[in-house]
Amino acid sequence: MRNIFDQYNQPENKLTHSLVSCLYEDKQLLNSFLKSFCSDFFKKSSNLQIEQQTVPGELNLLDDENDRKGLPDAVIYTEEQCLIIESKVSSTLTQDQLNRHEKTLRRRGFDKIKGIGIVVDLLPNVKLENWKQLTWNSVYSWAHKETKNSEWAKKLVDYFNVLENNMVEDEYLTEGSITEFTGIHFDDDNPYSYREGKRQLKLLVNKIRKNKILSDELNIDLKAKGRSGIKKEGNLWDYLTFNTNIKQKSFTDEPHLTIGMSDKFIEADFTIPYRIKGKTKKNFYSLSWINFRNIVHEIALNYDKSFGISEGFKPQIVLGQRRYPSQSSPAIHDARLEMDIRTAFKDISSKLKPTQKQQEEWLKVVFEINNNKKSNLQFQVGGRFYFNKQSLVNDKNADQILVKSFLACKPLVKHLFR
């Protein structure tokens, strides 16, 4: 079913149309937009008019988008003042175009003119006295805050989410984003979908990559690219690599941090692939049972310190053997063992509700299997964060939750890279 905002072919025109339509329909939303992004320009808001793909007072009857290229994307105006809105996604905001828009409006009798250029990334080389730049991220963030008071703001936010997915899949938006990470909001009222999960994972990982504590504490290479893209439906995941001196390394040959999402939870794990090589392999498989147990205990204590006994998460070890029929096919799991690492230690298992008796034997099984394996067995230790009523990841600070999960694994990271 076609969305009410899909009146144009070009994505940036769709964005402008959705924004202008919502501002036109909800005057309080319009006032909020002006207060947030162009305060103290209009003396009164009661007599404001708003139009798109035209100039004030001139009805544009052209049907072809190409014939409207020289016109402002939108204008908000009174008899004396005019605010120009020019939007860009894949193309560039240029001073020449903005100057032409100003001259056009001055010829129509407007002396007081201001402009807003809405872009994916701010352009430092565009500097005009009467213009300011905004990112689509900031517009999205503003609209998201207004969803509590405006149904039209909700429509706008939902449309931005859908349109961003479409633009990424069509490769119209190859860098940056038009939305902003606001948390993972999957529940009974808002069920998980692959497309929305893909969008949220991308925003979340981009935000995590800006957290320098991962570089300082774990020596993570925050500039290294993760997955090049998720082309087909399947498991949603991405990864972060460590700073090493290995040239042309593959993440499947080295320990790395993994962020994985499903319909029920998101995970933040320290992953040791079966093809691990070099000193990290030697350090991992030379661990004695006592040393292995002590390291996992320290990790469990770190999780307990950060998250307590919240039902919104579980610290775990996962051993898995899998294979793929093809590069783009979902994995076939031949074997998978999952254990809550808290159950191995009496001082932590006794805090759980209902109280859990210590069960160290499962940790011993993990150690024995891992150290005597003869197959492509992958080891992961980390945290699973559920989309439930006790969710720890349903707000904009979810990236910090996942970062804490990674930091909890520092004892094993430190041992492998010693």
Side-chain angles (χ1 to χ4, degrees):
M1 183 174 173
R2 189 179 186 186
N3 192 283
I4 59 172
F5 298 133
D6 281 339
Q7 305 300 317
Y8 294 91
N9 295 321
Q10 292 298 321
E12 55 195 27
N13 289 341
K14 292 181 179 182
L15 277 172
T16 308
H17 178 62
S18 63
L19 174 62
V20 172
S21 297
C22 291
L23 297 180
Y24 177 83
E25 294 292 342
D26 188 335
K27 299 305 179 185
Q28 289 186 348
L29 193 63
L30 172 60
N31 290 337
S32 173
F33 178 84
L34 295 174
K35 183 178 179 180
S36 298
F37 301 118
C38 191
S39 60
D40 301 326
F41 180 56
F42 293 108
K43 295 179 181 179
K44 296 181 180 180
S45 59
S46 58
N47 59 343
L48 289 177
Q49 298 185 61
I50 182 168
E51 296 177 6
Q52 56 186 319
Q53 294 290 346
T54 188
V55 291
E58 183 175 304
L59 291 177
N60 181 37
L61 301 179
L62 298 176
D63 295 325
D64 191 344
E65 282 184 69
N66 294 323
D67 293 335
R68 296 193 290 261
K69 282 187 175 179
L71 297 171
D73 289 325
V75 286
I76 303 172
Y77 63 98
T78 63
E79 291 184 358
E80 299 176 349
Q81 299 167 281
C82 186
L83 174 66
I84 308 169
I85 296 177
E86 184 66 26
S87 66
K88 300 292 181 183
V89 176
S90 63
S91 56
T92 303
L93 197 67
T94 65
Q95 291 188 1
D96 182 61
Q97 183 183 33
L98 305 184
N99 280 325
R100 288 201 310 270
H101 288 333
E102 279 197 61
K103 290 179 181 179
T104 299
L105 291 168
R106 292 193 191 282
R107 287 197 299 268
R108 282 165 171 75
F110 289 96
D111 293 326
K112 297 180 180 179
I113 299 172
K114 279 195 175 183
I116 293 176
I118 311 178
V119 296
V120 175
D121 294 307
L122 297 178
L123 303 173
N125 59 324
V126 178
K127 296 180 181 179
L128 288 177
E129 182 179 351
N130 297 326
W131 285 79
K132 69 179 295 184
Q133 293 184 76
L134 302 177
T135 62
W136 285 111
N137 294 142
S138 62
V139 174
Y140 178 87
S141 179
W142 159 79
H144 192 272
K145 293 176 183 177
E146 292 296 323
T147 55
K148 298 178 181 179
N149 306 313
S150 170
E151 288 297 321
W152 284 98
K154 292 179 183 178
K155 296 178 189 292
L156 184 62
V157 167
D158 290 343
Y159 186 66
F160 270 44
N161 294 343
V162 172
L163 188 59
E164 182 170 74
N165 284 328
N166 294 338
M167 287 194 293
V168 171
E169 290 189 2
D170 295 339
E171 297 185 352
Y172 190 89
L173 181 63
T174 56
E175 297 290 340
S177 63
I178 64 170
T179 64
E180 186 177 65
F181 183 72
T182 59
I184 304 174
H185 303 281
F186 295 127
D187 51 37
D188 294 338
D189 296 326
N190 183 33
Y192 170 90
S193 71
Y194 169 80
R195 281 166 57 87
E196 179 60 11
K198 179 178 173 181
R199 184 188 71 85
Q200 293 194 18
L201 180 64
K202 175 187 174 184
L203 294 171
L204 175 59
V205 172
N206 287 342
K207 193 173 181 184
I208 289 174
R209 287 185 181 278
K210 297 177 182 179
N211 198 320
K212 292 183 178 180
I213 194 172
L214 289 177
S215 175
D216 297 339
E217 294 291 327
L218 299 182
N219 196 31
I220 292 297
D221 186 353
L222 298 176
K223 295 182 180 179
K225 292 185 178 181
R227 294 189 71 183
S228 58
I230 305 172
K231 302 294 185 182
K232 298 181 180 180
E233 290 199 25
N235 294 330
L236 286 171
W237 59 274
D238 208 334
Y239 64 91
L240 303 170
T241 56
F242 293 87
N243 267 310
T244 65
N245 295 324
I246 301 175
K247 295 182 178 180
Q248 297 180 341
K249 63 184 177 181
S250 169
F251 78 96
T252 57
D253 295 334
E254 289 291 318
H256 52 272
L257 304 182
T258 306
I259 305 101
M261 182 183 291
S262 77
D263 60 335
K264 302 295 184 183
F265 53 79
I266 188 167
E267 293 179 334
D269 302 314
F270 176 44
T271 300
I272 303 175
Y274 75 94
R275 295 197 312 190
I276 184 176
K277 299 176 181 179
K279 69 174 182 179
T280 52
K281 178 179 181 179
K282 180 180 178 180
N283 289 340
F284 186 47
Y285 291 111
S286 64
L287 274 170
S288 67
W289 158 244
I290 296 299
N291 288 337
F292 178 77
R293 182 190 183 280
N294 289 342
I295 286 175
V296 176
H297 185 212
E298 192 174 348
I299 292 173
L301 289 173
N302 288 342
Y303 275 107
D304 184 59
K305 182 178 179 180
S306 293
F307 306 113
I309 58 171
S310 169
E311 295 181 11
F313 93 108
K314 179 177 73 174
Q316 62 181 12
I317 285 177
V318 178
L319 286 181
Q321 181 184 357
R322 60 191 178 187
R323 50 195 167 92
Y324 297 87
S326 67
Q327 190 172 7
S328 59
S329 301
I332 297 174
H333 293 274
D334 296 318
R336 185 175 174 89
L337 186 156
E338 299 179 8
M339 68 158 293
D340 186 332
I341 61 176
R342 296 173 296 190
T343 62
F345 309 104
K346 186 176 181 180
D347 57 335
I348 304 177
S349 63
S350 60
K351 298 179 183 179
L352 300 177
K353 297 181 180 180
T355 301
Q356 175 63 54
K357 290 185 178 180
Q358 181 187 10
Q359 296 176 332
E360 188 179 275
E361 59 266 32
W362 286 112
L363 187 61
K364 192 67 178 288
V365 167
V366 168
F367 176 79
E368 294 294 340
I369 292 176
N370 198 58
N371 278 44
N372 295 282
K373 69 179 183 180
K374 296 180 180 180
S375 61
N376 58 326
L377 201 64
Q378 177 176 273
F379 176 96
Q380 288 181 305
V381 58
R384 174 175 292 181
F385 299 90
Y386 295 98
F387 309 146
N388 56 18
K389 293 181 179 179
Q390 289 76 36
S391 175
L392 300 172
V393 293
N394 61 353
D395 62 34
K396 65 179 182 179
N397 295 319
D399 61 302
Q400 297 179 26
I401 297 297
L402 269 62
V403 167
K404 286 182 179 180
S405 180
F406 292 138
L407 294 176
C409 302
K410 185 176 179 180
L412 184 56
V413 174
K414 184 178 179 180
H415 175 79
L416 261 65
F417 287 98
R418 67 179 182 177

